[in-house]
Amino acid sequence: MFAKPVACAAFLIVSGLAPLHAQEVVAPSAVSFTDMGGIETSLTGTPGDVAAGAELMNKGSGNCIACHKVTALSDLPFHGEIGPPLDGVATRWDEAQLRGIVANAKKTFPGTIMPAFYHTGPYVRPGDAFTGDAAKGDVAPLLSAQDVENVVAYLMTLDTYPE
Amino acid sequence: MARGFRSGGAAALALVLAAPLAGADEVIDDELVINGEIPIVTQAPAPEHVEAFSVIRSGWTFRSPETQAMEMDDFDNPAILGVEAARDDFDASLGANGESCASCHESPEDLAGVRAVYPKWDDAAGEVQTIEMQVNECVTERMGAEAWPYDASRMVNMSALMSFVSRGEIVNVAIDGPAAETWQQGKDMYYTRYGQLELSCANCHEDNYDNMIRADHLSQGMVNGFPTYRLKNTKLNSVHNRFKGCIRDTMAQTFSPGSPEFVALELYVASRGNGLSVEGPAVRN
């Protein structure tokens, strides 16, 4: 009885995020990096959502502040010290470079500890998320293409150094 | 002043936590003496084979004063309950042969110093053995009993007792001779970037020790305090159980406690702590 209306609602939500005429999403394996490790064009053609990006800074597979301090998010506890603070990051890098760093920072900084968030391997002993078991089939990227765009959109707002 | 503290609350907290330990290779002031009578070496010159460090530090030096204090008196250390349980097992006749640990080793204290040199090459077995493997050799071959599961609480308790009677002894694991191949295997694992997060042991515990990763203060990943009572899961944890969790958290297919891979990794990681005291059973977060 309930299955059909729920499915319809889900369809509406999905279609609301990705218009039918949007460009095709660039697959992780098809991403084109510049020599400097940037990605010139949007992975989805849909502008990034700053608020959704801010959420990912703290939660889910983003959790950027686990390693990076962001003064604008100082209401959230426990910012890490592994990577550089992201204050003013949009003055240091342009959008293409930020997209490349989020998608696969190793293209910009060879050997960096930073995980590649839009990448599907090959990995050494890929697991099934955090279960410790072997991956079941192909591994999905840590962030979706639109997640990457959303995070980049948020990072582009970090264009000043707080006092 | 007050305003600055408020706006940078989380960072300020991180600074407070890290402040007494600031400076990567700086000698710290903390001193650990258990029960007021067992001095513990918690920092020492790095062994030659650990090129990245000049000073090695026990995980104890990275913990909060409250957690540190729990290890300074056995009445405050919950791991001691496991030690006491293992003492009962030590004296109990366990298998078909009517023998106990005490049949050969009069008291656990007779085995003082053993932990400090494990894992260790065993000629008869033709392999590197951990304390747990040695215990199981006694349980099965001497006593005629069923092997204890590698990571069962009974085994972790016995391992804790073996650490307990060696507390204060200096870790001195052999890495050459017949152990060299296994040691190299462990070293290779230490620098392998596992899982979807592509993290090696070294990424966190060599390159980033003393840094905060979210709310965790990264240590050098020393194992001289194992088995370790963790406040996180309120039980004694074996070294291999900790390895298993770390590799799982890289989003990898992890290895099993007792696996040859973890034996090799334990040998290598233990050798990085050559010069620190045996400190287990320790208390960590």
Side-chain angles (χ1 to χ4, degrees):
Chain A
M1 277 297 270
F2 289 105
K4 201 171 178 185
V6 169
C8 284
F11 177 74
L12 285 174
I13 290 164
V14 169
S15 60
L17 283 175
L20 293 173
H21 53 271
Q23 80 169 55
E24 208 162 303
V25 168
V26 180
S29 56
V31 174
S32 169
F33 289 88
T34 68
D35 289 347
M36 297 295 288
I39 301 171
E40 297 282 8
T41 52
S42 166
L43 298 173
T44 64
T46 303
D49 179 321
V50 171
E55 279 288 301
L56 285 166
M57 296 296 291
N58 178 42
K59 286 183 181 163
S61 293
N63 198 10
C64 311
I65 65 169
C67 291
H68 300 277
K69 177 176 181 278
V70 184
T71 301
L73 299 174
S74 58
D75 55 319
L76 300 166
F78 302 121
H79 296 216
E81 305 170 323
I82 308 298
L86 298 178
D87 294 346
V89 74
T91 67
R92 302 197 291 277
W93 305 102
D94 63 18
E95 183 185 299
Q97 202 67 42
L98 286 174
R99 186 181 289 112
I101 293 170
V102 172
N104 187 351
K106 294 175 184 75
K107 301 281 188 183
T108 302
F109 310 109
T112 179
I113 184 176
M114 182 167 163
F117 288 87
Y118 197 62
H119 184 60
T120 51
Y123 297 115
V124 179
R125 294 178 70 86
D128 180 15
F130 291 99
T131 64
D133 296 331
K136 297 186 179 89
D138 293 340
V139 171
L142 294 168
L143 295 180
S144 72
Q146 192 58 47
D147 286 340
V148 172
E149 295 303 324
N150 295 346
V151 168
V152 170
Y154 177 76
L155 295 176
M156 289 302 290
T157 70
L158 302 177
D159 56 359
T160 56
Y161 287 88
E163 297 282 311
Chain B
M1 191 69 182
R3 187 156 171 256
F5 185 80
R6 191 186 57 186
S7 62
L13 178 55
L15 282 174
V16 168
L17 289 172
L21 310 168
D25 289 331
E26 207 169 280
V27 174
I28 51 160
D29 292 333
D30 302 302
E31 200 172 293
L32 174 57
V33 180
I34 296 174
N35 301 333
E37 60 183 22
I38 308 173
I40 299 292
V41 176
T42 58
Q43 55 187 340
E48 246 176 57
H49 58 268
V50 184
E51 289 153 13
F53 296 159
S54 57
V55 174
I56 50 173
R57 284 168 52 186
S58 161
W60 185 83
T61 67
F62 295 90
R63 302 283 62 93
S64 70
E66 294 76 16
T67 306
Q68 287 184 330
M70 291 181 75
E71 204 183 306
M72 299 176 87
D73 188 320
D74 284 346
F75 283 105
D76 298 325
N77 183 343
I80 303 304
L81 294 172
V83 170
E84 294 306 320
R87 282 190 189 278
D88 291 342
D89 253 351
F90 194 89
D91 292 328
S93 168
L94 294 173
N97 304 342
E99 294 201 77
S100 69
C101 305
S103 306
C104 295
H105 315 283
E106 199 170 305
S107 77
E109 279 69 17
D110 274 8
L111 293 160
V114 169
R115 160 65 73 182
V117 297
Y118 270 78
K120 182 185 175 190
W121 176 262
D122 183 302
D123 264 332
E127 62 183 356
V128 170
Q129 289 195 333
T130 61
I131 282 269
E132 288 87 346
M133 292 160 80
Q134 181 60 58
V135 167
N136 255 341
E137 194 178 297
C138 294
V139 166
T140 57
E141 292 178 21
R142 287 292 304 203
M143 304 181 200
E146 288 281 310
W148 297 355
Y150 196 94
D151 207 29
S153 62
R154 187 180 209 182
M155 180 64 92
V156 182
N157 288 343
M158 187 58 74
S159 168
L161 175 59
M162 293 300 99
S163 290
F164 180 85
V165 298
S166 288
R167 285 191 305 189
E169 303 268 354
I170 301 300
V171 176
N172 186 20
V173 171
I175 68 172
D176 51 4
E181 194 180 326
T182 306
W183 183 83
Q184 186 62 47
Q185 182 191 350
K187 183 176 181 182
D188 292 345
M189 288 181 71
Y190 193 86
Y191 291 98
T192 297
R193 300 187 64 163
Y194 288 106
Q196 195 172 359
L197 298 181
E198 296 179 291
L199 294 172
S200 69
C201 308
N203 283 138
C204 286
H205 298 291
E206 184 168 285
D207 301 338
N208 278 292
Y209 75 90
D210 232 352
N211 284 334
M212 299 298 292
I213 185 164
R214 203 77 212 232
D216 284 336
H217 187 199
L218 288 170
S219 74
Q220 289 184 349
M222 294 297 173
V223 296
N224 59 309
F226 277 85
T228 286
Y229 183 89
R230 295 191 71 193
L231 302 170
K232 180 177 179 168
N233 60 13
T234 65
K235 68 182 181 87
L236 268 169
N237 296 263
S238 67
V239 175
H240 289 199
N241 189 275
R242 191 71 196 87
F243 288 164
K244 179 184 166 185
C246 263
I247 294 187
R248 175 199 65 213
D249 289 346
T250 69
M251 301 181 78
Q253 178 189 7
T254 192
F255 299 92
S256 299
S259 62
E261 290 87 356
F262 276 168
V263 172
L265 186 59
E266 181 181 345
L267 173 63
Y268 176 69
V269 177
S271 81
R272 292 172 69 92
N274 278 355
L276 298 173
S277 289
V278 174
E279 194 191 305
V283 182
R284 302 285 186 263
N285 55 329

